[in-house]
Amino acid sequence: MDDDDEQQLQPMELSSQLKIFIFITEQLIGPDVESFVDKMKQLLMIFNKKTESIQFKFLMEDSLWKKYREEFGELKGTVKKLQLSVRDVRHFLYGNMNTRLFDTYLDAMNIHNGLSDDMDRKSRRTDERNIQYVLDLIFGVWKLDSMYSESVFECIYDFMKHHRRISYNRLLDALKSAAKKELQISDEENTDRLMGFDVLVEELEKLVG
């Protein structure tokens, strides 16, 4: 092996960086927000500015940021504001369903009329109206059998909005449990949905109970 080959085989110097994300809550801030902000600044001074190997990033709900906007103003670049949108919840629910099995259900029940006729099935899965239509078939349109009651999807969205510490995975587990219970009961009153609202609420309440 000549000198050129040895030079080519020299190990590469790899740089690694550990990023630590801290989710800021009202409880974590405590009664003295100015003291908490000072501690954040000290943390950033020790790590983020003096070393590249460890970097701290902070996550905060948008509503909490608005409440303490003035106090956290200097840290704006290191704090990421989190927002929960209707689209996020809608696409999470739809993205975790077995679309192939559901297409079979639509064929068997002959209820494709609510989906766009000018789209193939793959395109339908990216259309917001079609996604909502599919979710309505599963959960029902209205909480009660009346157009004047609250939307079931809005109930799910409001639940996640008011319980932000509950992860999407836990929500998915609750929905799977509700679906399993629904298969064990026979409720002829729920002719407009696959999952009864009472069963859904029961499983959601277990997440905060």
Side-chain angles (χ1 to χ4, degrees):
M1 182 179 295
D2 56 28
D3 293 340
D4 291 337
D5 291 331
E6 289 182 1
Q7 187 174 2
Q8 291 178 1
L9 294 176
Q10 290 294 322
M12 296 178 60
E13 293 186 5
L14 300 177
S15 61
S16 60
Q17 186 182 80
L18 174 64
K19 290 186 178 181
I20 301 176
F21 291 86
I22 299 177
F23 183 60
I24 300 175
T25 63
E26 190 85 59
Q27 292 77 12
L28 186 61
I29 294 174
D32 190 346
V33 61
E34 292 183 358
S35 175
F36 179 79
V37 172
D38 287 339
K39 291 176 181 178
M40 287 179 62
K41 291 179 180 178
Q42 294 174 20
L43 190 65
L44 294 173
M45 180 66 70
I46 294 173
F47 290 96
N48 290 33
K49 292 187 178 181
K50 292 187 176 181
T51 176
E52 295 182 357
S53 59
I54 300 178
Q55 296 286 294
F56 281 88
K57 299 292 182 181
F58 299 95
L59 308 175
M60 178 186 293
E61 291 184 12
D62 186 61
S63 58
L64 198 60
W65 170 265
K66 291 178 180 178
K67 181 178 179 179
Y68 297 114
R69 184 195 305 270
E70 184 176 345
E71 291 83 353
F72 283 90
E74 296 181 28
L75 301 173
K76 185 176 182 179
T78 60
V79 178
K80 179 177 176 58
K81 299 184 290 294
L82 300 178
Q83 293 178 315
L84 180 70
S85 70
V86 170
R87 188 178 185 277
D88 291 336
V89 178
R90 181 185 293 128
H91 279 259
F92 172 79
L93 295 176
Y94 186 76
N96 282 280
M97 63 176 288
N98 188 325
T99 52
R100 181 176 298 179
L101 183 62
F102 192 77
D103 283 340
T104 302
Y105 165 75
L106 292 179
D107 290 335
M109 301 301 292
N110 193 26
I111 50 177
H112 286 280
N113 56 302
L115 299 173
S116 301
D117 294 331
D118 58 343
M119 295 182 179
D120 58 29
R121 291 190 176 185
K122 184 176 181 180
S123 300
R124 288 174 182 171
R125 293 169 186 162
T126 60
D127 182 81
E128 294 293 324
R129 292 172 300 174
N130 288 323
I131 291 175
Q132 187 60 59
Y133 175 74
V134 169
L135 295 180
D136 289 342
L137 288 175
I138 297 174
F139 301 109
V141 179
W142 308 109
K143 183 169 69 172
L144 303 175
D145 190 16
S146 168
M147 64 179 298
Y148 300 106
S149 62
E150 187 179 4
S151 159
V152 176
F153 176 75
E154 288 179 357
C155 289
I156 299 174
Y157 169 71
D158 288 340
F159 176 85
M160 293 301 293
K161 186 176 180 180
H162 291 106
H163 300 89
R164 295 291 292 273
R165 300 193 65 148
I166 293 178
S167 66
Y168 278 130
N169 287 336
R170 291 187 65 198
L171 171 63
L172 186 60
D173 289 340
L175 296 178
K176 289 179 179 178
S177 180
K180 185 176 181 180
K181 283 188 176 181
E182 192 66 41
L183 291 174
Q184 296 173 349
I185 62 177
S186 176
D187 190 352
E188 296 181 356
E189 295 181 1
N190 291 327
T191 58
D192 64 331
R193 66 196 71 190
L194 292 175
M195 184 182 297
F197 183 73
D198 291 340
V199 175
L200 172 63
V201 171
E202 181 181 352
E203 293 304 314
L204 291 180
E205 289 180 346
K206 288 181 180 180
L207 296 176
V208 295

